[in-house]
Amino acid sequence: MSGSYKTIYWGLLLIAFNFYLGNINVLPDFLGFIMISKGLRELGEVSYEEEYFRKSKIISNLMIVITLIQYIIGIYICGRAINFTRIGIVFFTIGNFINVITLVVIYYILKGIYAEVENRNLTVFMEKINSVWSFKLVVSLITFLACAFIINAGDFTLIIMPIVAIIGIIATIRVALVVKEAGKELS
């Protein structure tokens, strides 16, 4: 079971980081979702709380396809630059849709872990899961709000967006670390 959590951990880290060589994303999200789906499949085979992991796995499988399409579109429109042409707006919208669905995947993963931790009465770890989820949710909501202002792309937006992005990466890393810790606590 510990290996399954490690696979999910690495998948979450792949989703958190985007490194580009020119216009090519070296760590595309679909690879992260492949790892998450693999880990969730393994957890579903041994877990008592497989309902949450099953839901997350179904959504992760869907996200493999969606993020692969996003990756191909990203290469087609020259990477990460957002220009507000018709295809640029579609790419921007797909990116926000992916962020919302990723949040749902994270919710079900943490909910499945929480249910298992609750069965073992590990109250300190339960509080940690709640704390990490609350932080991830708030940061995600701030990110979605900030996206509403990116169209104007004023100086304020250009300063705030990198800060919001860094905090978003930190939030996902915290989720990944809780998943990794769950592998140790529950094995």
Side-chain angles (χ1 to χ4, degrees):
M1 183 172 355
S2 178
S4 304
Y5 285 109
K6 281 184 185 175
T7 304
I8 296 169
Y9 163 79
W10 284 109
L12 287 168
L13 289 181
L14 277 174
I15 290 171
F17 293 103
N18 290 304
F19 292 109
Y20 286 86
L21 285 176
N23 293 327
I24 307 296
N25 185 351
V26 179
L27 302 172
D29 288 351
F30 69 87
L31 295 178
F33 281 108
I34 289 170
M35 293 183 77
I36 290 170
S37 184
K38 179 183 182 292
L40 289 167
R41 181 177 33 81
E42 293 167 358
L43 276 178
E45 293 170 359
V46 297
S47 172
Y48 299 113
E49 300 301 330
E50 68 180 79
E51 180 66 23
Y52 295 115
F53 295 135
R54 187 184 60 76
K55 287 179 182 179
S56 188
K57 185 182 68 136
I58 290 168
I59 298 169
S60 292
N61 289 338
L62 176 66
M63 290 301 288
I64 292 168
V65 174
I66 292 171
T67 54
L68 181 60
I69 292 168
Q70 179 199 33
Y71 183 74
I72 293 167
I73 291 173
I75 291 172
Y76 175 72
I77 67 168
C78 299
R80 49 199 158 147
I82 296 174
N83 53 5
F84 288 99
T85 60
R86 192 172 298 151
I87 190 101
I89 291 171
V90 168
F91 188 68
F92 182 72
T93 304
I94 290 171
N96 284 321
F97 174 73
I98 287 170
N99 290 337
V100 170
I101 303 303
T102 300
L103 189 63
V104 173
V105 169
I106 288 171
Y107 170 77
Y108 281 128
I109 290 170
L110 291 177
K111 189 72 173 169
I113 293 169
Y114 185 89
E116 289 194 17
V117 167
E118 189 175 38
N119 287 340
R120 296 184 187 194
N121 203 22
L122 301 170
T123 55
V124 173
F125 197 56
M126 289 166 49
E127 291 171 9
K128 186 179 227 178
I129 293 168
N130 283 333
S131 171
V132 165
W133 168 248
S134 296
F135 182 68
K136 177 64 180 168
L137 180 62
V138 167
V139 169
S140 295
L141 292 175
I142 290 170
T143 302
F144 298 140
L145 179 64
C147 284
F149 298 102
I150 199 167
I151 293 174
N152 295 331
D155 292 338
F156 180 72
T157 305
L158 296 175
I159 293 168
I160 293 298
M161 287 311 287
I163 294 168
V164 170
I166 290 168
I167 294 170
I169 291 169
I170 291 168
T172 305
I173 290 171
R174 285 187 65 196
V175 169
L177 290 172
V178 163
V179 170
K180 185 178 180 183
E181 187 178 338
K184 293 175 186 172
E185 291 283 334
L186 299 173
S187 57

